[in-house]
Amino acid sequence: MARPTTPLLSRELVLRTALDLLDRTGELGLPRLARELDVSTSSLYHHFKGGREEVVEGIRGLLSADGMPVSVLPGEDWREFTRRWARQYRAAFAAHPAAVPLLTAQTVSHPATLASYEALADVLHDAGFGDEELLHAVTVLDCFVLGSALDAGAPVQVWADSGREDSRLSRAIRATRAQPGDRSERAFLLGLESLLTGLERLRGSA
Amino acid sequence: MARPTTPLLSRELVLRTALDLLDRTGELGLPRLARELDVSTSSLYHHFKGGREEVVEGIRGLLSADGMPVSVLPGEDWREFTRRWARQYRAAFAAHPAAVPLLTAQTVSHPATLASYEALADVLHDAGFGDEELLHAVTVLDCFVLGSALDAGAPVQVWADSGREDSRLSRAIRATRAQPGDRSERAFLLGLESLLTGLERLRGSA
DNA sequence: ACCTGAACACCGTTCAAGT
DNA sequence: ACCTGAACACCGTTCAAGT
């Protein structure tokens, strides 16, 4: 066939298919992805010169572009914005658990993701955070969100439950009947509030 | 040569070499690892029937076994123990940044790691945490430590700095002159204190 | 510009063969 | 039990050839 009159691929199509493949199989292989698209593996390199890494980064963009808050709503303070930012960030990851290890293994470079961090930084700055405090705040939130995203896909509860039956942890798990996914999210919300309170104190100390 | 009179390999030797390889090259390939050990690739499977996954899990054990607190020191309260637990956990990971993405991509099953979580759970229980609160506490701490371990290897600061020069984040980074590694640790300690305070409130509400 | 097919250097894993 | 060498089914990436 060689060059078709109308392109068979587009970045968008490749990325959507890649994310779907990841969701269904838990893995992302370029040959497998190309098969899914009815195309030869080398075709992918015409749209992603950076190869596999660029595909993964594109997936990050997909998740960042859709729904991440970019500015404060009317009447919203920094606490509310930050809560929204963190919840949306985690939710985007939690919806695609298999993508998370791939994303955390690779440096962030996608503009949409960078933009969402910039938005957070701007809001914190306007709220009175100094440069030092601002960096700490962004780092702390980033760490907790990423860790929680990993936990959303592979909850502590699941592997802890396979330990000794008479252990404290196993007994605690049996004593409560919430689903691992629910518990993961509840713990996230709880930790987030603690961090927001801590950051408020940090802001005051500036 | 076939079977040597004295074994060429041991789990310990393989794991130490694997961790060293990971530290030096940032990657862990079984053929590469075998070459490092002057042995054929298939030899590794005699000591790790679970293959690559078991090797990675063994590395987790190496990091967990060495220095993780297992019981409270005299006069130590739950807060101090938990602080020590989290700091040691993160430090073990931060010392081997390339191992972190491998470890977070794979379910925990190593007894030494499970034991360190059990130890934390026991201390929290003795401090009066109920089953529900205990699980939340362990989850929150796990999330934050893992996220911070990722950040220790690939700090937010590094990739954020490659954004627009006039952005708030880039300006904040330039305005402060701490090293990314230092900042990562400082942010961790700051967030940890916030979480400890939050968990204290959780404990009280039981 | 965009797709193909072949080629290359890698993987991880299995297994019969040797001591 | 422990090591080897060959074999298998995969990877990711490159590149000349075709339209």
Side-chain angles (χ1 to χ4, degrees):
Chain A
M1 157 191 320
R3 177 147 119 92
T5 56
T6 161
L8 298 176
L9 297 178
S10 71
R11 288 180 63 96
E12 178 77 14
L13 176 65
V14 172
L15 292 177
R16 294 279 172 206
T17 309
L19 189 52
D20 184 60
L21 177 65
L22 213 36
D23 288 340
R24 279 184 295 116
T25 71
E27 280 165 35
L28 178 61
L30 261 32
R32 182 77 170 73
L33 174 58
R35 223 177 303 134
E36 207 84 8
L37 288 159
D38 259 314
V39 113
S40 116
T41 306
S42 49
S43 301
L44 297 171
Y45 285 82
H46 291 281
H47 299 265
F48 299 85
K49 281 148 200 177
R52 188 193 144 89
E53 195 172 321
E54 192 179 335
V55 174
V56 171
E57 201 55 25
I59 291 176
R60 195 199 305 278
L62 229 52
L63 301 186
S64 292
D66 200 46
M68 279 304 286
V70 291
S71 61
V72 287
L73 300 175
E76 192 180 44
D77 67 10
W78 75 268
R79 251 175 162 272
E80 290 162 333
F81 176 85
T82 303
R83 189 182 289 117
R84 198 156 60 88
W85 185 90
R87 292 184 64 162
Q88 174 60 40
Y89 201 166
R90 177 186 175 277
F93 278 156
H96 307 280
V100 179
L102 271 49
L103 294 169
T104 54
Q106 170 172 316
T107 305
V108 175
S109 73
H110 199 286
T113 308
L114 293 172
S116 80
Y117 278 80
E118 298 292 357
L120 175 63
D122 287 344
V123 170
L124 293 177
H125 175 74
D126 292 348
F129 281 83
D131 288 328
E132 187 108 18
E133 291 80 30
L134 188 150
L135 280 180
H136 278 142
V138 171
T139 302
V140 164
L141 291 166
D142 177 66
C143 291
F144 187 61
V145 168
L146 289 194
S148 298
L150 286 168
D151 181 68
V156 203
Q157 185 171 348
V158 171
W159 51 261
D161 202 11
S162 61
R164 292 182 297 107
E165 264 201 23
D166 62 330
S167 77
R168 230 325 112 199
L169 213 46
S170 298
R171 292 178 61 178
I173 290 169
R174 282 198 308 277
T176 62
R177 58 201 172 296
Q179 297 299 317
D182 283 359
R183 180 166 312 292
S184 179
E185 182 168 11
R186 298 258 300 281
F188 166 70
L189 295 173
L190 202 143
L192 179 57
E193 291 309 314
S194 300
L195 291 179
L196 287 173
T197 304
L199 293 181
E200 174 64 61
R201 276 205 309 151
L202 182 67
R203 183 175 79 104
S205 76
Chain B
M1 154 195 317
R3 176 147 122 94
T5 55
T6 161
L8 298 176
L9 297 179
S10 71
R11 287 181 62 96
E12 178 77 14
L13 175 65
V14 172
L15 292 177
R16 294 279 171 207
T17 310
L19 189 53
D20 185 60
L21 178 64
L22 213 36
D23 288 341
R24 280 183 295 113
T25 71
E27 281 165 34
L28 178 62
L30 261 34
R32 181 77 170 73
L33 174 58
R35 223 176 303 135
E36 208 83 8
L37 288 158
D38 258 314
V39 111
S40 114
T41 307
S42 48
S43 301
L44 298 171
Y45 286 82
H46 291 281
H47 299 264
F48 299 85
K49 281 149 201 178
R52 187 193 145 88
E53 194 172 324
E54 193 178 334
V55 173
V56 171
E57 201 54 26
I59 292 176
R60 194 198 306 279
L62 229 52
L63 302 187
S64 291
D66 199 46
M68 278 304 286
V70 291
S71 61
V72 286
L73 299 176
E76 192 180 44
D77 66 11
W78 76 267
R79 251 176 161 272
E80 289 161 336
F81 176 86
T82 303
R83 190 181 288 116
R84 196 155 60 88
W85 184 92
R87 292 182 65 160
Q88 176 58 39
Y89 201 168
R90 177 186 175 277
F93 277 156
H96 306 280
V100 179
L102 271 49
L103 294 169
T104 54
Q106 170 171 315
T107 305
V108 175
S109 72
H110 199 287
T113 308
L114 293 172
S116 79
Y117 278 81
E118 298 292 357
L120 175 63
D122 287 344
V123 171
L124 293 177
H125 175 74
D126 292 347
F129 280 83
D131 289 328
E132 186 108 19
E133 291 79 30
L134 189 150
L135 280 180
H136 278 142
V138 172
T139 303
V140 163
L141 291 166
D142 177 66
C143 290
F144 187 61
V145 168
L146 289 194
S148 298
L150 286 168
D151 181 66
V156 203
Q157 184 170 346
V158 171
W159 51 261
D161 203 11
S162 60
R164 292 182 297 107
E165 263 201 25
D166 62 331
S167 77
R168 193 71 255 162
L169 214 46
S170 298
R171 292 178 60 176
I173 290 168
R174 281 198 309 276
T176 63
R177 56 200 173 297
Q179 296 300 317
D182 284 358
R183 180 165 312 291
S184 179
E185 183 168 12
R186 298 259 300 281
F188 166 70
L189 294 174
L190 203 143
L192 179 57
E193 291 309 313
S194 301
L195 292 178
L196 287 173
T197 304
L199 293 181
E200 174 64 61
R201 276 206 308 151
L202 183 66
R203 183 175 80 105
S205 76

